[in-house]
Amino acid sequence: MKKVPTPAMQKFWHLSQQEALSMLSVDLKGLDTEQVADRTKQYGPNTIKDQRSTSGILLFLLQFKSPVTLLLIGAAILSAFLGDVADMIIILIIVIISSILGFWQERGAANAVRELLKMVQIRCTVVRAGKPVELPIEAVVPGDVVLLTAGDIVPGDALLLDSQELFVDEAAFTGETYPVEKNCEVLPPNTPLSKRSNSLFMGSHIISGKATALIIHTAKETEFGKISAQLQTRIPETDFERGIKRFGYMLMEITLILVIIIFALNVLLHKPVLDSFLFSLALAVGLTPQLLPAIVSVNLAKGAKRMANQQVIVKRLSSIENLGSMNILCSDKTGTITDGKVNLKGTLSADGIHSEKVSQYAWLNASLQQGFHNPIDEAICLGYKGEKGTFKVQAEVPYDFIRKRLTIQVNGEEGNLVISKGALNSILSVCSQVELSNGALEDIEKHRIELLKLYEEFSNSGFRTLGLAYKKGDKNHDFDRGDEKEMIFLGFITLFDPPKANVSATIAQLGQLGVSLKIITGDNALVAKSLALQVGLKEPVILTGAAIQKMSNAALMHKAVLTDIFAEVEPNQKERIIVVLKKAGHVVGFIGDGINDAPALHTADVGISVDTAVDVAKQAADIVLLSHGLDVLIKGVVEGRKTFTNTMKYIFMATSANFGNMFSMAGASLFLSFLPLLPKQILLTNLLTDFPEMTIATDRVDEINIQAPQRWDLSFIKRFMIIFGLLSSVFDYLTFYVLLYILHADEKVFQTGWFTESVISATLIVLVVRTRLPFFKSLPGKYLALATILILAVVLVLPYTPAASWFGFIHLPFSFYLYMLLIVAAYIMSAELLKHWFYKKMFKS
C-alpha cells in the first residue's frame, strides 16, 4: 500500500465497505502484528503534534538565544583579538557553565513531564488479529478496525462499517451545535464534509450509540490535522504566563536603558571603549533574569511530580498556577461529594408499592443495553435478585441527552417487549396509560398529579428517581425512536448515592483555603437540597436550570456568585455558568467526567477530570485525578500554591539584592576612575548568586502562603523591586564608603571587596525575601541551605586560591571582613524590618 492515498481513498465516503477494506488490505478481523509494524513505520504515530522532541544539543544551544548573551560572547571574542585572551576564556567558561545549569534543569523538567503524561493517555478499542484490544490513540494506523461507543473520541478519519443509533458531535468541523446522526451508506464523491453521514472524523466524539469503523487517514492526513496545520493554534496563555512575560519585558526595558546610559557615560568619561562595552553587557547579563525560564519550568515540573504523588496528574504545566489561584470550584456531586457508587433503593409501582415486575423490567433494560455503561445500570443489575429468563435483544434506542431515556426491545418467554427508562418527565411524555399495582390500566392524565407527588416525596428523601414504561413490541419490526409513544407507565426506580465519609470536613477545608464549592447537577432541586443539608451546607441557595434559561447574563452573573447549588441543569448550561463566574473576576475550576462536560472543561480556568472519565472529558482537561474525590483535589490545590510561591521567590530574589547590586555598580562606575567590577567578575557574581536560587523548587513553603488563593500582581512586584532594590543600594554605597574612605582601597582591593560583599549579601538576603515571616521562623529547605553555605564558603575562600589571579582578585585585609560583617548584618536586619512594614502596608491596602 502506498503512503500517498489514491484519489479513491481521498474520497473514501464514496467507497463501499468492501472496496475500502480491499484497498487497505484488511478484513473485519483487523490488522495482524506484521501489518501494524509496517504501517506504524510507514505512517508514524497518530498525532497532529510534532513528536520530535528537542534534542539535547539543540536544547543546550537554545540557552544562548538571549541577544545580550550573544553580544557578550562576541565582545569577549573581540577582546581576545585585541590581546586579552585570558579574559575571553574566563568569560566564555562562565557563560557555558550558566548555560549548562539551565540546560540540565530544563532537560530534567521536560523528561519528568513526558513521563507524567504517559499516565493519562487517551485509549481506544481496536480489533487486531480478530481480538478487541485497548490501545493509545497514537498507536492507531490506517486499516485499523475500531469499536466506538458513547464518550469515545474518534481516533482518525474513518468509514462506518456498522452503526446503531449513532450520534456524533462534529461542532469543530461543521459549527453545528447539535449531534449529527451517522449511518452506513455510499455517498457521491462531491459530498461536502457536513453531509458525509457515513464518515467519522478525528477529534469528534460519540454522543450516543455505538459503531464499528475502518480508519482511513491518521495524524496530519485527517481533516482535523489539516485544520490544525492551517490555523497553527496556540493554547491561550494563563495569567501567570502573561505575568512572567510582562515581568521579563519590564526587566529587559530597564536593562536596555541602563546599559545605553552607562556605556555612553563611561565613554564620555574617557574610559576604555571595549572595557566599557563589556562592562555594560556584563551588567545586562546580571540584570537579565536568564534563569527565569528554567526556574519556572523546574518549579512547575517539580510541582507536577509532587502532585502526581498525591494522585493528581498535570497535563498542562501552566495550569498549576491557575489551580493555586482558583477561588471557585464547580463540580457535579457524583464521586466528589458522594461515593460515586449508585445503590438501588427500590422498584415501585405507579402507586408507590414494591413491584417485582418493575424490578424485572428495569433489570432487562439495564442488563441488555449495549450502549454506554453507567453506574445506574450497574446498580439496577446488582439489585435484581429475581429470575433472569432467556431474553434476547432485538433492537435498542440508546440514551441521549435530548430524549433523556434508553429504550430496548427484547424477545423472551413473555413475548416481544419494548422497555424504556429515564428521567420521569421524559418517560411520562411518551406514555398514554398507567399500570397500577393491581394490574389495571388507566389513562395517564388521571394519575399525573399523584405520580408527580410521589416523585416529589422520593426526591425530598434524597433519592434520584427514574421512570419506567413499556409496551408490546413486534418481532417483525425493529423498534426505533419514532415508535416511542403510546407507552404504559409502569413505575419508579429509586436510587441513592450516599455522601462520602467526612465530606463535610473536606468542604470546610476547601472554604478555609479560600475556595468556594458550587455544585452543578442534573438532579432535581429537591434531591440536591437534601444532599446539601447532609453535607453541612445550611440554607443552601439553589438555582434551577429553568430559572437560568430565563436570566440575562448580567442577572446570572450576580446570582451565580451567591448560589451554592445549580440543579436541574442542562449540559449546555454548565459552560454558561462558568463563563459568567469568570467574567465576575473569579478563577474558576470545573470537575467533569461526562460526555457533555468537554465545553465546560475547556472554558474553565482549570479543567479537571478523572482517569475513569470518558475520553472526550480527559482530553479537554488540564488536570486528571487518579482518585475521585475532593480530598485529592485539595492536595493538588496546596501543591499548586506551593509551586506558585516558590516561583515568586525567584522573582523577589531577582528584584531585590541582584537588581540593587547591579544598579549600584552602574552608579559607582560613574564616579570611580576604574570599573567597580570587571566584566568577568560581574558574570561570576551572577553565576554564584544564581546557584542557590536554582534549588528554590525544593524550598519549604510557609502555611501563610497556602491559606488563600494567590494571583500574579505585577504592580506588587514593581513596588517590591523599587523598595528592596533601593535598600540594597544603600548598603552597597555604604560598602563603597568603607572601601574608599576607611580602607583607602586601590582598584583590585575595591573589586575584590565589592565582589565578596555583593555575593554574600545577595546570597543571604534570599533567606529574608523567601518568606513573609521573620526569617528565623521560616527555615529554608535542605538544598537551599546547603547551596547557600557552599556559595558563602566559595566566596570567602576564592581570593586565597590560585583561581583568584584569573579573576583579578587579591587578598583582603582582615579589617574589611569585620566591616563587611557589620554591613551585612545591618542589611539583613533592615530588610527584615522593611519586609514587615511592606507586607503590613500592602495587605492592609
Side-chain angles (χ1 to χ4, degrees), residues 82-154:
L82 298 175
D84 199 351
V85 177
D87 271 15
M88 180 202 74
I89 293 170
I90 291 168
I91 288 172
L92 290 181
I93 287 172
I94 294 172
V95 170
I96 288 169
I97 290 172
S98 293
S99 299
I100 288 171
L101 288 174
F103 161 76
W104 171 62
Q105 295 266 17
E106 287 197 47
R107 182 67 177 264
N111 289 339
V113 173
R114 199 175 299 119
E115 290 303 311
L116 288 175
L117 288 178
K118 287 180 182 177
M119 299 175 70
V120 288
Q121 283 181 317
I122 305 298
R123 305 176 76 84
C124 62
T125 304
V126 182
V127 178
R128 293 265 175 97
K131 295 180 180 178
V133 291
E134 289 279 323
L135 295 173
I137 280 180
E138 289 80 7
V140 172
V141 295
D144 265 326
V145 175
V146 296
L147 306 178
L148 300 166
T149 186
D152 288 347
I153 288 175
V154 178

Side-chain angles (χ1 to χ4, degrees), residues 47-67:
T47 176
I48 60 169
K49 296 176 183 175
D50 192 346
Q51 289 293 292
R52 295 170 296 176
S53 58
T54 305
S55 68
I57 294 172
L58 181 58
L59 187 61
F60 177 69
L61 293 176
L62 286 172
Q63 305 302 313
F64 300 92
K65 65 184 178 182
S66 165

Side-chain angles (χ1 to χ4, degrees), residues 559-621:
K559 189 73 175 175
V561 176
L562 306 172
T563 299
D564 299 306
I565 299 173
F566 299 89
E568 301 169 27
V569 169
E570 298 291 334
N572 60 348
Q573 290 179 325
K574 295 177 183 178
E575 185 180 8
R576 187 181 173 208
I577 292 166
I578 289 165
V579 166
V580 298
L581 287 171
K582 285 176 67 176
K583 283 184 178 178
H586 299 281
V587 179
V588 184
F590 174 72
I591 303 179
D593 60 2
I595 296 167
N596 277 289
D597 287 333
L601 285 165
H602 273 300
T603 302
D605 293 299
V606 191
I608 305 159
S609 194
V610 292
D611 64 335
T612 54
V614 295
D615 289 346
V616 67
K618 276 198 290 187
Q619 188 186 55

Side-chain angles (χ1 to χ4, degrees), residues 255-272:
T255 300
L256 184 62
I257 293 167
L258 201 59
V259 165
I260 291 171
I261 292 172
I262 295 304
F263 175 66
L265 289 174
N266 273 285
V267 171
L268 287 173
L269 293 170
H270 306 294
K271 293 177 183 177

Side-chain angles (χ1 to χ4, degrees), residues 27 101 112 170-171 178 200 214 222 281 346 396 415 459 541 550-551 588 646-647 698 702 712 745 753 816:
D27 57 27
L101 288 174
E170 291 184 346
Y178 295 102
L200 302 176
L214 175 66
T222 63
L281 289 177
E396 179 180 345
S459 298
V541 178
K550 298 172 184 176
M551 286 183 173
V588 184
N646 279 338
T647 304
T698 61
D702 300 327
W712 182 272
F816 168 76

Side-chain angles (χ1 to χ4, degrees), residues 199-378:
S199 308
L200 302 176
F201 301 105
M202 182 182 189
S204 59
H205 67 272
I206 311 300
I207 294 292
S208 63
K210 53 186 178 177
T212 303
L214 175 66
I215 299 296
I216 307 294
H217 300 306
T218 57
K220 294 181 180 178
E221 294 298 319
T222 63
E223 295 294 334
F224 188 59
K226 292 170 188 173
I227 293 170
S228 298
Q230 289 167 3
L231 297 179
Q232 292 293 307
T233 54
R234 290 186 60 190
I235 297 171
E237 286 182 324
T238 64
D239 283 344
F240 182 72
E241 288 172 316
R242 284 192 294 273
I244 287 285
K245 188 180 286 186
R246 289 201 302 270
F247 171 71
Y249 287 151
M250 181 186 75
L251 281 191
M252 285 298 290
E253 287 167 8
I254 293 169
T255 300
L256 184 62
I257 293 167
L258 201 59
V259 165
I260 291 171
I261 292 172
I262 295 304
F263 175 66
L265 289 174
N266 273 285
V267 171
L268 287 173
L269 293 170
H270 306 294
K271 293 177 183 177
V273 175
L274 183 59
D275 284 351
S276 297
F277 185 57
L278 278 170
F279 174 76
S280 300
L281 289 177
L283 205 60
V285 171
L287 280 168
T288 305
Q290 282 177 301
L291 283 180
L292 184 58
I295 293 288
V296 170
S297 296
V298 171
N299 266 332
L300 293 176
K302 293 264 187 191
K305 287 183 77 173
R306 288 196 303 268
M307 289 168 75
N309 292 333
Q310 304 288 355
Q311 304 286 293
V312 180
I313 303 300
V314 179
K315 287 177 61 188
R316 183 184 173 201
L317 282 183
S318 57
S319 65
I320 293 177
E321 184 275 335
N322 274 351
L323 186 61
S325 303
M326 179 179 72
N327 67 333
I328 288 181
L329 174 64
C330 296
S331 172
D332 190 4
K333 62 182 182 59
T334 306
T336 49
I337 310 299
T338 65
D339 280 333
K341 178 72 175 173
V342 180
N343 297 275
L344 180 65
K345 172 63 178 175
T347 47
L348 309 168
S349 67
D351 33 14
I353 300 169
H354 174 72
S355 167
E356 285 299 327
K357 186 174 182 180
V358 172
S359 181
Q360 182 192 26
Y361 280 29
W363 172 79
L364 284 171
N365 179 283
S367 63
L368 296 180
Q369 68 98 2
Q370 302 295 307
F372 181 59
H373 297 285
N374 61 81
I376 289 175
D377 286 337
E378 289 174 11

